[in-house]
């Protein structure tokens, strides 16, 4: 069984607008568009309110639902918890992955993922 848990780590000092973008992506999740929205965030350098709302429009998200969620920072508490979790885990950046308790940092190639998955699969239970 594979379980994917996504945690936000918006480092505002390195990426201005990251926290607002994390809120926006989480608001997009309400409409089952998190990954589409997430992908869209990496295609733009503009993380202003206007750009984030425009991206929601491109993905055909319900405008009122999205804007209300974003304006109210509905998921800020969850994002703050993600930041505290990152500190507790000793994370220093993204991406960071955990597979069966082992930590992997940085961008991994398909070959590296194949090796990690095969090792995890073949590990005696």
């Amino acid at each position: 069984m594979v379980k994917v848990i996504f945690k936000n780590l918006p480092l505002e000092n390195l990426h201005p607008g990251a926290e607002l973008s994390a809120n926006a992506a989480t608001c997009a999740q309400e409409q089952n568009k998190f990954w589409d929205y997430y992908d869209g965030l990496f295609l733009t350098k503009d993380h202003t309110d206007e750009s984030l709302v425009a991206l929601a429009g491109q993905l055909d998200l319900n405008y009122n639902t999205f804007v209300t969620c974003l304006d109210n920072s509905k998921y800020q508490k969850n994002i703050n918890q993600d930041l505290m979790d990152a500190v507790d885990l000793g994370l220093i950046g993204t991406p960071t992955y955990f597979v069966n308790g082992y930590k992997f940092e940085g961008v991994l190639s398909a070959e590296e993922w194949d090796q990690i998955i095969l090792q995890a699969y073949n590990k005696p239970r």
Side-chain angles (χ1 to χ4, degrees):
M1 174 173 56
V2 174
K3 183 176 185 179
V4 176
I5 299 172
F6 183 92
K7 296 282 192 169
N8 289 289
L9 187 57
L11 302 174
E12 278 291 322
N13 56 335
L14 296 175
H15 306 287
E19 195 164 290
L20 183 61
S21 296
N23 270 289
T26 309
C27 289
Q29 175 56 38
E30 287 187 348
Q31 299 180 50
N32 298 314
K33 292 283 189 165
F34 174 82
W35 290 112
D36 294 327
Y37 199 92
Y38 173 89
D39 290 342
L41 287 172
F42 285 94
L43 296 176
T44 182
K45 301 280 188 224
D46 183 1
H47 293 259
T48 60
D49 284 331
E50 296 80 16
S51 176
L52 298 175
V53 171
L55 177 55
Q58 292 169 16
L59 297 173
D60 294 322
L61 297 181
N62 178 285
Y63 176 84
N64 290 331
T65 301
F66 181 83
V67 169
T68 299
C69 178
L70 188 59
D71 286 348
N72 292 328
S73 300
K74 183 175 179 179
Y75 294 101
Q76 188 62 49
K77 182 178 177 181
N78 301 67
I79 293 167
N80 291 343
Q81 183 62 56
D82 287 352
L83 287 164
M84 290 188 290
D85 292 345
V87 169
D88 290 345
L89 291 168
L91 303 186
I92 56 172
T94 62
T96 301
Y97 308 94
F98 288 89
V99 178
N100 289 350
Y102 294 98
K103 181 167 64 170
F104 301 92
E105 297 176 303
V107 176
L108 302 174
S109 68
E111 292 80 19
E112 290 170 310
W113 274 115
D114 287 346
Q115 183 179 3
I116 291 166
I117 292 167
L118 285 173
Q119 286 176 348
Y121 180 77
N122 291 323
K123 186 175 182 177
R125 296 180 185 125

